[in-house]
Amino acid sequence: MTGPTWMGLARNVCVVAIVAGAAMFGPAAQCRGGLAGENVILVVNGNSKASRTVANHYAHLRDIPSINVVVLDDVPTGLSVSLNDFRNRILKPVLETLNERKIAAQARVICYSAGFPTSVKINEHTAKLTDEDQKKYQRPLGSINGLTYLYRFLFADDPLYLGWGPNLYCRGAIERSFVNPFGGENGERFDQAVVDLNSDDPKAAAEAFADLAREFPTLCPLSVRAAEAYGRAGDTANAARWVVNALRAGWTNATYLRQSDDLSDVVSMSAVSKALDQISDAPAVLQSPIGFDSQLGWTSSGYPIPVTKGGLPYMQSCVLGVVHERGSTVDQIVEYLELAASADRTFPDAVFGYSKTGDVRSKTRMPGLPAALGRLLSQGQKPSIFKKPLPDDAQTYAGLMLGTATMNLRDRNFRMAPGAIAESLTSLGAAFGTASQTKLTELLHAGAAISSGAVTEPFSLQFKFPLPSIHAYYAEGVTAIEAFYLTLSSPYQLLIVGDPVCQPFAKASTDTVAMRVQRDDDVRIFIETETPQLLADPVATQRMEIFANGRFSRATNPSREIKLRIPDDASGAVDIRLALISGGPLGIRRSYRQTLDLKGPIETPTLSVSSSDAQVVTVSASAPGADSLTLKIWGQDADNADGESASFPISRSQWGDGPLRVRLVGKYGDKEVQSVPLVVADDEG
């Protein structure tokens, strides 16, 4: 576990967007930030009962729409897969399916169930390296989720992702916010504005930064620079206006603005001071977290712009579980996923612990510890440093950053709060082909919601593991998977396992939602929201997104009542989902789904369980007047029959154990009408 120090390496940052041979994602809809069930793409190995069983449980726990479940029937076996097989038999079919189903714009994380290879052989790409440090320290093995995150590099067949910092979404020092994010003409405009700001023409700098900020409104540091330049020029009114613009664009560090010499007259203004009181007063050391968006690209400054304007896009990814003799059983995976799902918005009163020992695995991450501790303390959280590989107290931990090759978790005194992130920097935490070193899955079995480990020797390089700030960002309300990618500069070797959506510290909208169908002169669906009375700390909704049968429909401003007009001849059941999104750059969301029977001119088909045993569940299907029937399980055609009624046997060996979401579709000429979904639980099978 040796290698060069972090400070001794030049950070290779990819600045230009990589354009794949064919676009894997369609045009973006109005979906921005945040993560809930509608944003999870659940990928299942159709030939693995374990994969289906884990997916059945997770889809039910996280209310993942059936349209988001992708079943693959040609998954390679074994722990490792070739690059070509990964691209052509796993990743490309998944991305093409998202495009075909028109759900690419709402996807935020590709989540592999059990039953997939955990690593990918990338010899073709490491063979292209010319830098001696990279050739020495970048081993030819990547993780399945790390390479999914870096999909644009893979489809461009470009080894640039083997640099030290290909993940531009990862947060860095706050000074990074103000580096030149552009190339070409815009880059020259930015550089000239910096020259003007530092010379005797701050007014010209202010106007240049303001012009760029208008063209790139998601790059909020441009508005900060415009405000500072106006302040230096003595134009307090415009400086105040651009501070407000920066806050609206997503700038959240009040400390930086208060400490800026150029803004001293502005921040004392009553209106500006009150606005700054509403955002973070964390130390001006680290960049603030931003909610992930797969439809935007990211720049070298760490802020997003459209892909068409040069941003580099990513796709978050993780693995739900690894069924292996050195990994987990299916029951263990289900147990920790259930525990994680219970943790959302619980705000555990727990400690964030950091192991500080003489082991290189621990020392590697110590340089980033002070910044993380400062940010945690500014939030009122309780960080703790212990000088052993594991804590020996009886405290409850919401996060653990460890650095040890082996650990005994069975005799521990401490416990982990539901939703905890726990991980250890070591060489072989996700190398399940060897018994050497404790595997990451042991931390999941001990109570963590999510963990990670390297699939091959990472040489104790910090940028291949999460920064200590992972826990600070998690405590601010991001999801578990965002916390990882916000702090992971080079993700290609790290296997991330667990529940990506877990968010125990999320300050989500506190509004409630009710839906109903009304038929009179026309047909309408009413969606009504309400803010419960007597809440001590209500969280307002800033934006709403509506989904029909799992697919994004439209975004809207907050409304107490939304009316959706439905065609008069619409029949059957429809799933309506409303995502309530709170303000700020994290885009924290909370989703409500309801299945509504439209009670149209065609009678809604029905399903019921008629008999069951441990191996087969038989459901009775009825659709009066239908020409034919199709039974669907998680959106996949399972069986069909002619006529208006039938009995369908469902084999657990084929479809997996756990809760199955079963739906009936009746065909009436060219018209299809669907039933209310039936969830078949384990105790019925």
Side-chain angles (χ1 to χ4, degrees), residues 473-489:
Y473 293 147
Y474 198 38
E476 290 183 45
V478 302
T479 59
I481 197 65
E482 288 172 315
F484 270 92
Y485 286 112
L486 281 165
T487 56
L488 183 58
S489 291

Side-chain angles (χ1 to χ4, degrees), residues 128-143:
K128 295 180 180 181
L129 296 176
T130 57
D131 181 275
E132 290 303 317
D133 275 337
Q134 289 181 341
K135 288 168 67 175
K136 181 176 180 180
Y137 296 115
Q138 302 297 61
R139 289 288 180 89
L141 201 66
S143 72

Side-chain angles (χ1 to χ4, degrees), residues 17 25 33 67 95 190 196 210 212 220 286 315 399 405 412 439 494 526 575 619 625 644 651 653 660:
F25 288 95
I67 199 171
L95 299 183
F190 184 99
D196 291 338
L212 285 168
C220 58
L286 296 174
M315 174 57 77
R412 68 190 185 278
K439 304 308 171 193
L494 198 72
F526 287 82
D575 294 334
V619 295
E644 61 182 27
S651 169
S653 64
L660 285 170

Side-chain angles (χ1 to χ4, degrees), residues 284-332:
V285 178
L286 296 174
Q287 291 181 303
S288 295
I290 301 175
F292 181 80
D293 189 338
S294 64
Q295 295 299 293
L296 285 175
W298 302 83
T299 67
S300 55
S301 69
Y303 287 86
I305 60 174
V307 177
T308 54
K309 293 188 177 182
L312 181 60
Y314 305 99
M315 174 57 77
Q316 294 179 129
S317 180
C318 73
V319 176
L320 288 181
V322 180
V323 176
H324 191 272
E325 61 180 331
R326 299 187 188 96
S328 305
T329 65
V330 170
D331 287 343
Q332 286 174 318

Side-chain angles (χ1 to χ4, degrees), residues 9 13 17 57 95 108 121 138 162 203 220 297 384 404 408 413 436 444 494 553 610 640 670 683:
L9 287 172
V13 177
H57 282 279
L95 299 183
R108 303 276 195 280
K121 302 169 187 174
Q138 302 297 61
L162 295 170
K203 185 66 178 291
C220 58
S384 172
T404 182
N408 177 10
N413 293 318
S436 177
L444 298 171
L494 198 72
S553 175
S610 57
N640 57 73
D670 294 332
D683 56 10

Side-chain angles (χ1 to χ4, degrees), residues 524-586:
R524 295 190 180 189
I525 292 175
F526 287 82
I527 305 174
E528 298 166 333
T529 65
E530 182 178 358
T531 301
Q533 300 298 311
L534 304 178
L535 281 179
D537 190 19
V539 179
T541 301
Q542 296 296 322
R543 192 173 80 253
M544 297 177 171
E545 292 177 359
I546 302 168
F547 298 77
N549 289 328
R551 185 180 287 119
F552 176 77
S553 175
R554 63 185 174 94
T556 181
N557 291 325
S559 176
R560 289 301 176 197
E561 185 177 85
I562 300 172
K563 300 176 183 178
L564 305 178
R565 180 166 291 180
I566 303 297
D568 292 344
D569 62 348
S571 298
V574 61
D575 294 334
I576 300 295
R577 184 183 299 251
L578 183 69
L580 305 180
I581 303 163
S582 57
L586 299 186

